[in-house]
Amino acid sequence: MVHVGAPLSAPSFLGASTPRARRRASLLPNLTRRRSIMASLGDDPIREWILTEGKATQITRISPIGGGCINHASRYDTDSGSFFVKTNRHATSLKLRIGPSMFEAEALGLSAMYATQSIRVPMPYKVGPLPTGGSFIIMEFIEFGPSRGSQSVLGRKLAEMHQAGKSSKGFGFDIDNTIGSTPQINSWSSDWIEFFSEHRLGYQLKLALNQYGDSAMYEKGQRLMKNLQPLFEGVVIEPCLLHGDLWSGNISCDKNGDPVILDPACYYGHNEAEFGMSWCAGFGGSFYSSYFEVMPKQPGFEKRRDLYMLYHYLNHYNLFGSGYRSSAMSIIDDYLRMLEV
C-alpha cells in the first residue's frame, strides 16, 4: 500500500514554480491513480487479498466454475498462479443465516484434513465478508484429472486420514457447520451414540416435524434413537476426523491421478459414519478392501450401514422434499423391527 504523507494545500502546490515543486506536481496524477486503485481494491476484498497476500500483481482472467447449487465458484488466474474462489451473496436461507461462519467452518475443516497429510484437499487461504452482503473463501486451485482415479487408492487414503485425525475432546467439532445448506450441530460429546442421536438424527427429525408436520416419522425416529445401543455392542469407537459429506460430487483426482476430496462438513465421529452417503458415492469393492486394510472392519458393520445412511436421507428429505421420505421411513421401520422396539 502506498503511504502518503500530509497533503499540501492546493494553491501553494499547484502554483509553485521551482523545479522541485514542478516535480511534485507531475506526481499528482500518479498519486491520484494509486489512491483510486487502492480504494477500488477495498471494495473488492477478493481482489485485494489476491493482489497483496496472494503475491499476484495482475489478475489475468476470472472464469466461472459450475457444479455447486449453494455457492458461486470461480477460478482466478493470475501471474502468480490460480486461485479457487467461492462466494455466497445471499444473506439468508430458509434454515440458516449464511455469513462468513459458513466458509469459516469449511476452512477449518479443510485445514484439519490438510494437516493429516493423507488425502489431498485444497488448502484454504482467506475467508471474509463481501461488502454487498454474503461472504467468500479463497483456496488453492487444484487442476483435476480426466477421471475420479483409483477406488483402491481413495479407500486407503481416506482410511489414513481417519487414522491420523483424532480428537482428545471427543465427538464433535470446534464450530457448527452445514450439510448442504442445513445447519450441522457439532457440540462436543464424550458419547458417540448420544452425539449421533441428538445432533444428527434428532436434529433432522425435528426439522421434518417443523417443516412438514411429519409426526409419524418423528415418533418412530425417537423410538429408534432411544434404542441404538445394541447396534454398537463390542465396537471400539474413536473420534476420527470425517469429511462428513462424501458423495461423488465431492470426490475427484488431480492431474497425477491422486484422489482429492472437496466441500467438507467436517466433524470428529465414528469412522463408519463417513460412508453415510455411499448410496450416491459409487464406492466399490476395491475401495472398501483397501480401506479396511488400514482401518479394520468392526463387528456389526453391515448392521450399522443403513443407520448412517439414514442421517443423509433425512437431510435430503428436509432439503429436497418428499421424494426422500420413503427411503428414510423404510430404514427407520427396518431398524424398529430388527431391534424389536
Side-chain angles (χ1 to χ4, degrees):
M1 180 176 290
V2 177
H3 176 77
V4 181
L8 297 172
S9 63
S12 61
F13 185 39
L14 298 177
S17 59
T18 65
R20 184 175 182 182
R22 284 196 297 271
R23 187 169 69 252
R24 284 180 177 174
S26 69
L27 293 175
L28 181 59
N30 289 334
L31 290 172
T32 302
R33 185 163 56 252
R34 289 184 184 181
R35 286 172 178 165
S36 176
I37 291 171
M38 296 312 296
S40 65
L41 285 178
D43 294 334
D44 188 341
I46 297 171
R47 293 177 63 89
E48 180 178 9
W49 187 91
I50 289 174
L51 295 175
T52 55
E53 295 180 61
K55 310 301 183 186
T57 62
Q58 183 182 12
I59 295 173
T60 57
R61 184 172 60 176
I62 302 174
S63 308
I65 299 175
C69 59
I70 299 173
N71 304 304
H72 177 75
S74 300
R75 171 179 175 169
Y76 279 63
D77 293 317
T78 79
D79 57 355
S80 68
S82 297
F83 299 90
F84 181 72
V85 177
K86 289 200 297 186
T87 59
N88 194 313
R89 298 182 183 277
H90 300 289
T92 60
S93 75
L94 291 176
K95 299 183 182 69
L96 74 159
R97 181 167 295 276
I98 296 177
S101 60
M102 183 181 188
F103 288 144
E104 285 169 5
E106 180 176 355
L108 285 174
L110 288 170
S111 295
M113 292 191 297
Y114 190 92
T116 66
Q117 295 297 296
S118 52
I119 195 165
R120 189 173 185 189
V121 300
M123 181 64 182
Y125 296 134
K126 179 67 176 179
V127 173
L130 292 169
T132 55
S135 55
F136 71 90
I137 179 171
I138 305 172
M139 64 184 81
E140 174 190 7
F141 181 85
I142 297 176
E143 192 80 51
F144 293 151
S147 70
R148 289 182 60 197
S150 166
Q151 287 263 311
S152 178
V153 176
L154 174 63
R156 176 172 55 82
K157 290 288 188 178
L158 185 65
E160 289 172 356
M161 185 183 83
H162 292 167
Q163 188 178 62
K166 298 291 172 61
S167 171
S168 60
K169 297 180 180 179
F171 304 98
F173 203 54
D174 283 330
I175 187 171
D176 294 341
N177 49 26
T178 56
I179 182 78
S181 62
T182 308
Q184 184 168 258
I185 309 304
N186 294 320
S187 303
W188 292 104
S189 174
S190 60
D191 186 296
W192 168 247
I193 298 176
E194 179 182 286
F195 176 89
F196 187 74
S197 295
E198 179 180 351
H199 298 314
R200 296 297 179 262
L201 299 184
Y203 188 88
Q204 293 286 345
L205 288 166
K206 287 177 184 175
L207 283 181
L209 179 64
N210 294 335
Q211 187 169 202
Y212 304 120
D214 200 334
S215 58
M217 175 176 283
Y218 181 80
E219 290 166 5
K220 287 186 175 183
Q222 289 292 313
R223 282 165 53 197
L224 174 59
M225 286 167 51
K226 295 173 183 176
N227 292 276
L228 293 178
Q229 189 65 49
L231 297 173
F232 293 88
E233 290 179 356
V235 180
V236 177
I237 305 174
E238 294 182 292
C240 301
L241 178 62
L242 307 181
H243 174 282
D245 191 17
L246 203 59
W247 67 288
S248 58
N250 291 340
I251 302 169
S252 189
C253 69
D254 61 20
K255 292 191 296 184
N256 297 323
D258 293 324
V260 179
I261 55 178
L262 316 157
D263 295 335
C266 286
Y267 64 99
Y268 291 91
H270 187 199
N271 66 301
E272 294 174 10
E274 192 77 284
F275 310 131
M277 284 288 285
S278 59
W279 48 281
C280 56
F283 297 143
S286 62
F287 168 87
Y288 286 107
S289 295
S290 295
Y291 181 89
F292 289 132
E293 286 177 5
V294 179
M295 294 283 288
K297 183 189 293 188
Q298 295 260 3
F301 169 77
E302 286 77 12
K303 290 183 178 181
R304 292 183 296 274
R305 188 196 296 258
D306 285 356
L307 181 68
Y308 292 131
M309 291 186 188
L310 175 59
Y311 171 55
H312 294 279
Y313 275 121
L314 287 171
N315 186 47
H316 277 62
Y317 176 34
N318 283 312
L319 286 174
F320 306 118
S322 60
Y324 292 92
R325 184 184 187 277
S326 61
S327 296
M329 199 65 165
S330 177
I331 292 175
I332 293 173
D333 286 337
D334 286 347
Y335 274 115
L336 292 179
R337 282 192 294 269
M338 180 194 303
L339 297 168
E340 299 180 343
V341 293

